[in-house]
Structures are given as C-alpha cells and as structure tokens.
Amino acid sequence: MNKQDWIASAGQPLHGTLDIPGDKSVSHRAVMFAALADGVSKIDGFLEGEDTRATAAIFSRLGVRIETPSASQRIVHGVGIDGLQATSEPLDCGNAGTGMRLLAGLLAAQRFDSALIGDASLSKRPMRRITGPLAKMGARIDTGEGGLPPLRIHGGQALHGIDYTLEVASAQVKSALLLAGLYAEGETIVREPHPTRDYTERMLAAFGVDIEFSPGFARLRGGQRLRAADIAVPADFSSAAFFLVAASIVPGSQLRLRAVGLNPRRTGLLTALRMMGADIREENRREHGGEAVADLVVSHAPLHGIEVPQALVPDMIDEFPALFVAAACADGPTVVRGAAELRVKESDRLAAMANGLRALGLRVDETADGATIFPGPLQGGSIDSHGDHRIAMAFAVAAQRAGGEVRVGDIANVATSFPDFDTLATGAGFALRNG
C-alpha cells in the first residue's frame, strides 16, 4: 500500500447530518457467525472497509458463498458449524487484529490446518494472549518470532472447555475463546478483570446460541449450532468519536450523527467528554439488531481537563486518540492512567499521540500506562501516523484548531475502518486535502 498524506488546517464551523459507516466490530462478527450458521443471513450496514472485507474474503476462501447485492449489504449462505472447507493458501487478515484473533479461536477447532497472515502493522501485534489460553483448551498454534504473526494453526485437535480468567481485559481474547468453546467438549467460561464490549455474546444469542453473560463473565457449552439471522449493523461509535470531538472543539459547530451504536461497553468516551463539559445529546434512541443506537447531536462547548476514571478505560480503548485531541483543546490538564493496552494497538498509540501533540507545540508527560496532556495553542507541523488509522483521523481533527497547516503522514490505512472519512469530513466543514 502506497503511503499517502493529508494536509489539514483550521476550517469553518462544522455543520450537517452525517451517516457514519457501520460498526467494524459488529461487521466482523456478523459475517463470521452468519458463515457458521444453518441457513441464509442478511447483513445491512456492513462496513465497506478493508478490514471487514478481508474477513469476508477469508470466509469465501473457506467455502462460504457471500453475495453483495448493494454497498453495505451482504447475503451469507451459511455452511453450518462444521461446514468450512480447507484452503492451502494463507488467509490474509490485512490490518484486522479483530479478524486474526477471532479467527484463531475458530480455526483452532477445525479439522484442517490453516495459516493467518497480515500486513506490516498487524504482523507487529502480540498474539500470545490468544495462543496461550487456546493452548489450554487443546489448540496447537505456532506463531512467528516473539509471539507475533503469522499464525500456523494445526487442525484436528480435540478441544475441551476451560474456566479462564483473562490477564488483560480484551474483547478479542474473550471472543476467540468463546468461538473455540462452540466446538469444545463441556463448558467454556471466560472471566474478565474489567468488563469489555459484549458484541460476541449478544450476537451469538441473536444466532440462537444458548449463552449466559453479564459484565465481566460469559459461559457457553460446546456442540451448539447457529441459526441464520438478519443483522442491522449500527454506525460505529469509534468512527463517530472523531466528529464528536471535532464539533466539541471547533467554535460555532453542531453536528447530528445518525444511528450511532451505544453499546455500554463501548461508550466510555461519551462519559469522559461529558465530564469535560461536552454538549452531546441523544435523540431517537432505539435498537438495531439487539444493539442500542441513537442520533447524537453535538454542539461546540468549552471543555475542561479531567482525570479520566480508570473504570472507563476498557470502554474507550479505541477512542483515546480522539480523547487526546479533546484534552489538547481543554482548559487545564487531562490525566490518563491504566491504559497500557494502547501500547499494543495498531501502533503504540500513547507514544504516537504524545509525540504528535508535542510536534504541534504541546507538553505531554508520558508514563508506562498513560499520560498527562497540558493544553495550549496548537501550531502547524508534521505528524507521523505510523500507519494507524485512528492516529491519522485524530490529527485531522486536531488540525481544525491549529494555527498552521498540519501534514498527517501515512494515512492509507484509514480505509481499514473509515472509508471516505475525508469526503465526509470536508462536507461537514473540515479543511482537509491530499498532500
């Protein structure tokens, strides 16, 4: 993928009604579970991003017929829990950590061998947190040096259920174990030190699986079959986060974001922004496919720095780049603790955000598991996004308050989660162009 840059600068007040693309986490799971189900499932609102398309392409390679009648729609002809077919070629997850980690749990239970590969960024992300607990269930998975991808998965293993407490709260690890648990003998129980998003549990239930779950706990028995279901994917809160922050910090702005998913394990940023003084209203609250959604109306408001409650951290781990930008434009410092997980995302997000804000003239004091952001006037400058889509979009937002042009480098991976971000942003009033 060729490197690309954006040139961003302070634009005009942001206005409009925006349709944010579908939730990436829900889209991944919808196509996976539909593939394993008995019958035909329809998915509306599927994210047309590179990550989710990579997951759909993998299931096509595994013998699942997937139709695309129109953009953001998929019709998945499920092959049943035991119907996946072997392929001799490695399965390319692209940049999708969710795809690779969930697939590791699923493929560990198949009768055939398989291999999972990814792009340069994904190939630096740790996989022992997945392979370790899966090995306790009887799986055999070889990793690259240092526990990194590629993953080579040995099929034909007899899996058994376990009662496992995660060392680090992670919805991806939990989901991998639950998927393996569908094939395991006995019960699989996953306990978490902090509750994480429960998309997997909710969607397995929607596909007819008898699963017991509550915050920080999930249990299912092996040997169950999935029934086809129609899924409406809500708008992705993590993508909406950039516009929530942008409208909050750009004077004179007001945006309406339609049908945004408000899973309670996903919306820590909403709580944090409101603690900072943000003006964000929920209207037309309803349900899409078992997930709460609402229109979010956000207006400019003066923000003040806070100490982010550590209890919120697991519920906003993907939104910290956006939070850092809000903190940069607030009155008084913002303190983040308990966010060491940010160092093993698509990039070391703590270091990338701290260095980027310093490049724009701010003081940021880093710690091992967080940072203190001292706000001030943002200057122009050059930012390295390290190929991380959320870092790139965060600095496109920050530039709307900068005193000069901001060059955001290496932005091609924005297409993994938010295709056409730049088109939607400029339509709302961002000053943003390709560099």
Side-chain angles (χ1 to χ4, degrees):
M1 183 179 292
N2 294 328
K3 288 192 175 183
Q4 304 167 30
D5 294 350
W6 280 331
I7 305 295
S9 57
Q12 54 191 322
L14 308 178
H15 291 286
T17 298
L18 306 184
D19 290 312
I20 303 296
D23 188 289
K24 185 165 73 161
S25 297
V26 175
S27 296
H28 278 302
R29 289 161 173 83
V31 77
M32 286 185 186
F33 300 168
L36 299 177
D38 298 315
V40 180
S41 300
K42 181 181 178 184
I43 305 170
D44 286 310
F46 183 82
L47 172 65
E48 296 290 0
E50 292 177 1
D51 279 6
T52 46
R53 285 176 170 175
T55 294
I58 283 172
F59 280 93
S60 295
R61 296 277 300 281
L62 294 171
V64 180
R65 184 157 69 92
I66 301 175
E67 299 177 71
T68 306
S70 62
S72 303
Q73 278 195 336
R74 294 294 186 276
I75 295 175
V76 182
H77 298 260
V79 296
I81 197 78
D82 297 314
L84 297 179
Q85 301 298 315
T87 176
S88 59
E89 297 297 319
L91 300 168
D92 190 350
C93 299
N95 188 244
T98 298
M100 180 171 282
R101 288 177 172 143
L102 270 62
L103 280 163
L106 172 61
L107 293 173
Q110 304 303 314
R111 63 190 181 280
F112 51 83
D113 295 349
S114 52
L116 295 172
I117 61 174
D119 68 7
S121 172
L122 182 54
S123 297
K124 297 175 184 175
R125 297 183 67 179
M127 292 295 153
R128 282 188 180 138
R129 61 178 58 186
I130 293 284
T131 60
L134 285 173
K136 293 181 184 296
M137 299 180 73
R140 289 181 58 212
I141 304 177
D142 300 328
T143 67
E145 187 175 351
L148 302 178
L151 301 182
R152 304 196 180 279
I153 302 168
H154 300 270
Q157 310 303 308
L159 303 188
H160 53 83
I162 58 172
D163 185 335
Y164 188 78
T165 300
L166 301 184
E167 295 178 6
V168 177
S170 167
Q172 294 177 355
V173 178
K174 172 180 63 175
S175 299
L177 297 181
L178 292 174
L179 283 172
L182 287 173
Y183 295 84
E185 182 179 353
E187 280 191 338
T188 295
I189 299 173
V190 184
R191 307 175 195 269
E192 301 176 286
H194 304 286
T196 62
R197 59 192 65 171
D198 57 3
Y199 291 131
T200 294
E201 299 95 306
R202 287 173 181 263
M203 194 174 293
L204 283 175
F207 278 92
V209 173
D210 181 13
I211 179 170
E212 176 190 350
F213 62 97
S214 57
F217 176 87
R219 170 177 21 212
L220 58 72
R221 69 179 188 280
Q224 299 188 62
R225 300 191 73 84
L226 285 70
R227 297 191 305 268
D230 290 344
I231 300 295
V233 180
D236 195 310
F237 182 83
S238 293
S239 296
F242 300 103
F243 290 98
L244 294 177
V245 170
S248 293
I249 65 174
V250 175
S253 297
Q254 184 178 85
L255 291 173
R256 176 183 290 270
L257 312 178
R258 286 198 286 216
V260 178
L262 295 180
N263 185 294
R265 297 274 70 86
R266 186 71 175 271
T267 51
L269 178 72
L270 195 57
T271 302
L273 288 176
R274 285 170 170 161
M275 290 175 66
M276 297 173 76
D279 179 0
I280 303 172
R281 304 194 312 276
E282 297 173 28
E283 297 183 357
N284 194 20
R285 193 175 178 102
R286 56 220 188 265
E287 279 207 355
H288 272 188
E291 293 288 343
V293 303
D295 298 344
L296 299 180
V297 181
V298 53
S299 304
H300 171 255
L303 305 182
H304 55 83
I306 61 169
E307 182 163 335
V308 178
Q310 290 195 40
L312 290 180
V313 169
D315 297 342
M316 58 184 295
I317 206 71
D318 280 335
E319 290 75 49
F320 270 100
L323 176 81
F324 271 53
V325 174
C329 298
D331 180 15
T334 292
V335 180
V336 174
R337 296 189 180 94
E341 182 72 5
L342 288 173
R343 296 204 183 275
V344 292
K345 299 297 285 184
E346 282 85 337
S347 66
D348 179 341
R349 284 185 176 155
L350 279 175
M353 288 304 303
N355 290 334
L357 290 176
R358 290 181 191 122
L360 302 187
L362 296 194
R363 173 187 164 193
V364 181
D365 293 347
E366 275 184 82
T367 63
D369 68 342
T372 300
I373 303 102
F374 296 88
L378 293 169
Q379 307 165 2
S382 292
I383 305 297
D384 184 355
S385 75
H386 301 279
D388 188 321
H389 51 128
R390 300 199 196 280
I391 300 295
M393 289 184 282
F395 281 104
V397 172
Q400 305 311 302
R401 280 284 302 269
E405 285 192 340
V406 177
R407 177 178 287 272
V408 185
D410 197 6
I411 57 91
N413 271 340
V414 170
T416 65
S417 70
F418 201 155
D420 300 324
F421 167 82
D422 49 355
T423 300
L424 204 62
T426 53
F430 275 56
L432 181 67
R433 68 182 192 276
N434 291 326

